[in-house]
Short mmCIF file of all heavy atoms in Angstrom, two decimals:
data_model
loop_
_atom_site.label_atom_id
_atom_site.label_comp_id
_atom_site.label_asym_id
_atom_site.label_seq_id
_atom_site.Cartn_x
_atom_site.Cartn_y
_atom_site.Cartn_z
N GLY J 1 0.82 -1.23 0.08
CA GLY J 1 0.04 -0.01 -0.01
C GLY J 1 0.88 1.22 -0.02
O GLY J 1 2.06 1.24 0.24
N GLY J 2 0.20 2.37 -0.32
CA GLY J 2 0.85 3.62 -0.29
C GLY J 2 1.69 3.93 -1.47
O GLY J 2 1.74 3.19 -2.45
N LYS J 3 2.47 4.91 -1.42
CA LYS J 3 3.20 5.41 -2.65
C LYS J 3 4.53 4.40 -2.70
O LYS J 3 5.15 4.11 -1.75
CB LYS J 3 3.75 6.86 -2.31
CG LYS J 3 4.55 7.42 -3.55
CD LYS J 3 4.80 8.83 -3.22
CE LYS J 3 5.67 9.47 -4.41
NZ LYS J 3 6.00 10.85 -4.20
N ARG J 4 4.87 4.27 -3.96
CA ARG J 4 6.03 3.37 -4.21
C ARG J 4 7.29 4.11 -3.86
O ARG J 4 7.56 5.26 -4.08
CB ARG J 4 6.08 3.05 -5.68
CG ARG J 4 7.13 1.93 -5.99
CD ARG J 4 7.18 1.74 -7.55
NE ARG J 4 8.01 0.68 -7.88
CZ ARG J 4 7.69 -0.61 -8.06
NH1 ARG J 4 6.45 -0.94 -7.80
NH2 ARG J 4 8.57 -1.46 -8.41
N GLY J 5 8.19 3.46 -3.08
CA GLY J 5 9.39 4.06 -2.56
C GLY J 5 10.26 3.17 -1.62
O GLY J 5 9.99 1.89 -1.63
N ILE J 6 11.26 3.73 -1.09
CA ILE J 6 12.16 2.97 -0.11
C ILE J 6 12.26 3.72 1.26
O ILE J 6 12.28 4.94 1.23
CB ILE J 6 13.56 2.93 -0.81
CG1 ILE J 6 13.49 2.21 -2.15
CG2 ILE J 6 14.47 2.08 0.20
CD1 ILE J 6 14.80 2.35 -2.95
N ILE J 7 12.24 2.89 2.32
CA ILE J 7 12.49 3.44 3.65
C ILE J 7 13.64 2.65 4.15
O ILE J 7 13.74 1.45 4.07
CB ILE J 7 11.30 3.26 4.55
CG1 ILE J 7 10.10 4.12 4.04
CG2 ILE J 7 11.60 3.56 5.95
CD1 ILE J 7 8.85 3.90 4.94
N LEU J 8 14.68 3.32 4.73
CA LEU J 8 15.77 2.73 5.43
C LEU J 8 15.62 2.95 6.91
O LEU J 8 15.56 4.02 7.45
CB LEU J 8 17.09 3.49 4.97
CG LEU J 8 18.33 2.81 5.64
CD1 LEU J 8 18.54 1.40 5.24
CD2 LEU J 8 19.60 3.67 5.24
N GLN J 9 15.39 1.74 7.59
CA GLN J 9 15.19 1.74 9.00
C GLN J 9 16.47 1.32 9.68
O GLN J 9 17.02 0.19 9.38
CB GLN J 9 14.07 0.85 9.40
CG GLN J 9 13.71 0.78 10.89
CD GLN J 9 12.53 -0.06 11.20
OE1 GLN J 9 12.25 -1.01 10.44
NE2 GLN J 9 11.79 0.17 12.23
N THR J 10 17.16 2.10 10.51
CA THR J 10 18.37 1.80 11.04
C THR J 10 18.26 1.85 12.59
O THR J 10 17.44 2.69 13.15
CB THR J 10 19.51 2.77 10.64
OG1 THR J 10 19.04 4.12 10.90
CG2 THR J 10 19.90 2.55 9.14
N VAL J 11 19.09 1.13 13.35
CA VAL J 11 19.15 1.18 14.70
C VAL J 11 20.63 1.39 15.11
O VAL J 11 21.57 0.55 14.67
CB VAL J 11 18.70 -0.08 15.47
CG1 VAL J 11 18.94 -0.02 16.91
CG2 VAL J 11 17.25 -0.34 15.10
N TYR J 12 20.88 2.53 15.73
CA TYR J 12 22.28 2.87 16.21
C TYR J 12 22.33 2.57 17.75
O TYR J 12 21.29 2.77 18.49
CB TYR J 12 22.64 4.25 15.91
CG TYR J 12 22.71 4.63 14.42
CD1 TYR J 12 21.56 4.93 13.70
CD2 TYR J 12 23.85 4.61 13.86
CE1 TYR J 12 21.60 5.14 12.34
CE2 TYR J 12 24.08 4.88 12.44
CZ TYR J 12 22.89 5.23 11.78
OH TYR J 12 22.95 5.43 10.37
N LEU J 13 23.54 2.36 18.25
CA LEU J 13 23.68 2.13 19.65
C LEU J 13 24.65 3.14 20.17
O LEU J 13 25.77 3.25 19.71
CB LEU J 13 24.24 0.79 19.91
CG LEU J 13 23.99 0.19 21.32
CD1 LEU J 13 22.53 0.09 21.74
CD2 LEU J 13 24.72 -1.12 21.58
N LEU J 14 24.17 3.99 21.13
CA LEU J 14 25.10 4.97 21.80
C LEU J 14 25.57 4.29 23.03
O LEU J 14 24.82 4.05 23.92
CB LEU J 14 24.29 6.27 21.99
CG LEU J 14 25.03 7.37 22.73
CD1 LEU J 14 26.14 7.88 21.73
CD2 LEU J 14 24.05 8.56 23.14
N GLU J 15 26.90 4.17 23.17
CA GLU J 15 27.43 3.53 24.24
C GLU J 15 28.71 4.17 24.62
O GLU J 15 29.46 4.85 23.86
CB GLU J 15 27.65 2.02 24.04
CG GLU J 15 28.53 1.74 22.73
CD GLU J 15 28.55 0.22 22.34
OE1 GLU J 15 27.90 -0.51 23.06
OE2 GLU J 15 29.22 -0.03 21.44
N SER J 16 29.19 3.98 25.88
CA SER J 16 30.51 4.43 26.38
C SER J 16 31.26 3.36 27.06
O SER J 16 30.73 2.64 27.86
CB SER J 16 30.20 5.55 27.46
OG SER J 16 31.38 6.08 27.97
N VAL J 17 32.49 3.28 26.56
CA VAL J 17 33.34 2.20 27.19
C VAL J 17 34.16 2.84 28.27
O VAL J 17 35.05 3.64 28.06
CB VAL J 17 34.33 1.69 26.13
CG1 VAL J 17 35.22 0.53 26.67
CG2 VAL J 17 33.49 0.99 24.99
N ALA J 18 33.88 2.47 29.57
CA ALA J 18 34.52 3.07 30.71
C ALA J 18 34.83 2.07 31.75
O ALA J 18 34.21 0.90 31.73
CB ALA J 18 33.54 4.04 31.26
N PRO J 19 35.80 2.36 32.66
CA PRO J 19 36.10 1.42 33.69
C PRO J 19 34.95 1.07 34.44
O PRO J 19 34.05 1.88 34.80
CB PRO J 19 37.23 2.14 34.55
CG PRO J 19 37.75 3.16 33.63
CD PRO J 19 36.66 3.66 32.60
N SER J 20 34.86 -0.28 34.94
CA SER J 20 33.79 -0.74 35.59
C SER J 20 33.45 0.01 36.94
O SER J 20 32.27 0.15 37.34
CB SER J 20 33.81 -2.27 35.92
OG SER J 20 35.10 -2.48 36.70
N GLU J 21 34.51 0.57 37.57
CA GLU J 21 34.37 1.16 38.91
C GLU J 21 33.56 2.47 38.76
O GLU J 21 33.06 3.04 39.79
CB GLU J 21 35.61 1.32 39.52
CG GLU J 21 36.66 2.28 38.81
CD GLU J 21 37.61 1.52 38.00
OE1 GLU J 21 37.26 0.36 37.64
OE2 GLU J 21 38.64 2.05 37.58
N LEU J 22 33.47 3.11 37.53
CA LEU J 22 32.78 4.26 37.44
C LEU J 22 31.25 4.06 37.20
O LEU J 22 30.40 4.96 37.55
CB LEU J 22 33.14 4.94 36.12
CG LEU J 22 34.58 5.57 36.11
CD1 LEU J 22 34.85 6.23 34.81
CD2 LEU J 22 34.85 6.59 37.28
N HIS J 23 30.80 2.75 36.97
CA HIS J 23 29.48 2.44 36.88
C HIS J 23 28.62 3.52 35.93
O HIS J 23 27.63 4.00 36.46
CB HIS J 23 28.70 2.50 38.24
CG HIS J 23 29.29 1.40 39.16
ND1 HIS J 23 29.14 0.06 38.93
CD2 HIS J 23 30.13 1.49 40.31
CE1 HIS J 23 29.73 -0.68 39.92
NE2 HIS J 23 30.33 0.17 40.63
N ILE J 24 29.21 3.78 34.87
CA ILE J 24 28.71 4.81 33.98
C ILE J 24 27.36 4.50 33.40
O ILE J 24 26.62 5.43 33.01
CB ILE J 24 29.77 5.07 32.73
CG1 ILE J 24 29.50 6.47 32.25
CG2 ILE J 24 29.64 3.94 31.69
CD1 ILE J 24 30.56 6.92 31.20
N GLU J 25 26.96 3.17 33.45
CA GLU J 25 25.63 2.82 33.04
C GLU J 25 24.52 3.47 33.79
O GLU J 25 23.28 3.40 33.38
CB GLU J 25 25.49 1.31 32.95
CG GLU J 25 25.52 0.60 34.27
CD GLU J 25 26.99 0.36 34.72
OE1 GLU J 25 27.93 0.73 34.04
OE2 GLU J 25 27.15 -0.21 35.89
N ARG J 26 24.87 3.98 34.98
CA ARG J 26 23.79 4.66 35.71
C ARG J 26 23.27 5.87 35.07
O ARG J 26 22.11 6.28 35.16
CB ARG J 26 24.27 5.04 37.07
CG ARG J 26 24.75 4.08 38.13
CD ARG J 26 25.40 4.64 39.31
NE ARG J 26 26.70 5.10 38.98
CZ ARG J 26 27.49 5.77 39.92
NH1 ARG J 26 26.98 5.99 41.08
NH2 ARG J 26 28.63 6.29 39.58
#
């Protein structure tokens, strides 16, 4: 259905690699 065309669906992950003692995931 709908108009003929293309859609690009992307998923990006924003992450930080840090020492575990910082608990940056908080």
Side-chain angles (χ1 to χ4, degrees):
K3 184 179 178 181
R4 190 183 184 92
I6 302 173
I7 294 176
L8 179 64
Q9 185 179 23
T10 54
V11 176
Y12 295 84
L13 199 63
L14 181 64
E15 56 188 359
S16 177
V17 180
S20 58
E21 61 267 17
L22 291 179
H23 300 288
I24 202 169
E25 65 277 359
R26 293 176 293 173

